[in-house]
Amino acid sequence: MNRIGGMIRAHRILATTVGATVVFLVIVAAALFQPWRLFTSSSVNEALPLAPPASTSASPSTAPTTDSQGNGSLSPNTSASAPAGNTDPVVLGFGNFQSQEHQTSGTAQLLELPDGSRVLRLENLASSDGPDVKVWLSSLEAGGDWYKYRSDRYVDLGPVKATHGNQNYVIPAAVDLSGLQSVVLWCDRFSVAFGSAQLA
């Protein structure tokens, strides 16, 4: 009888240990894969970045004048406004997103602002949520095998701001854009591309 009781107790300890291990693995897997993100989404609607108009205008001033009789008088003296500078961004590259690991659509634009700064703008983006998704500029062509993107030059512009909408990503001044030809939504945790856009 004692032997049977010992076996039950031994199996209870084993069962408890196995149960605790399973719970731990489930927690780790959930934290790693975050499966609930398959059912979540977010949106953002940032305005197109524009530099303020470069215009100067003098306020009216009162200056003395004389009439034909030589009598002095005061009259307003205004200077013409300087023409406003061009505030339209220059499009350095444009492309449409194509789906890779996840359904993705929208457009990507490389823009240079009048002050010389550069911005990557994503418009009408629609993609999937996922853990650790980044926005990359890549030297490789869009599409094809998504695991290739780590094998060549890329610039990480930071986490994607939302799965949907219009959003801007500042490109650091030190970044050399030559040779960078695509935009990639890259899941850094699992090294997969959700979608990509070829810039032309």
Side-chain angles (χ1 to χ4, degrees):
M1 193 70 177
N2 289 335
R3 186 175 181 182
I4 295 176
M7 291 178 63
I8 293 174
R9 284 193 297 273
H11 284 101
R12 185 179 300 165
I13 294 172
L14 178 61
T16 302
T17 302
V18 170
T21 302
V22 169
V23 170
F24 174 76
L25 292 176
V26 168
I27 293 173
V28 170
L32 185 63
F33 290 93
Q34 300 179 9
W36 58 86
R37 285 182 176 264
L38 294 173
F39 310 100
T40 61
S41 65
S42 56
S43 63
V44 66
N45 187 25
E46 296 181 335
L48 179 70
L50 295 175
S55 63
T56 57
S57 177
S59 59
S61 62
T62 303
T65 62
T66 57
D67 58 20
S68 60
Q69 305 300 319
N71 299 318
S73 65
L74 293 177
S75 63
N77 179 25
T78 60
S79 61
S81 298
N86 181 21
T87 60
D88 294 331
V90 176
V91 179
L92 304 177
F94 177 89
N96 294 303
F97 272 101
Q98 57 182 291
S99 302
Q100 291 196 258
E101 182 67 11
H102 290 270
Q103 188 71 29
T104 302
S105 61
T107 62
Q109 297 180 74
L110 275 180
L111 303 176
E112 182 176 302
L113 304 185
D115 63 1
S117 62
R118 296 149 321 158
V119 171
L120 172 67
R121 178 165 174 81
L122 308 184
E123 289 191 336
N124 301 314
L125 178 68
S127 189
S128 299
D129 201 0
D132 205 19
V133 179
K134 306 288 186 63
V135 178
W136 281 10
L137 293 174
S138 172
S139 62
L140 298 176
E141 290 186 359
D145 297 326
W146 42 252
Y147 54 78
K148 68 183 179 182
Y149 293 110
R150 276 202 186 278
S151 65
D152 213 335
R153 179 179 169 228
Y154 63 87
V155 176
D156 186 342
L157 298 181
V160 67
K161 295 179 180 179
T163 60
H164 292 73
N166 305 315
Q167 40 204 277
N168 305 312
Y169 297 85
V170 175
I171 301 172
V175 171
D176 181 6
L177 293 179
S178 61
L180 298 175
Q181 59 174 322
S182 64
V183 178
V184 184
L185 296 184
W186 180 258
C187 179
D188 217 12
R189 180 166 300 175
F190 298 109
S191 294
V192 298
F194 280 25
S196 58
Q198 184 72 26
L199 298 172

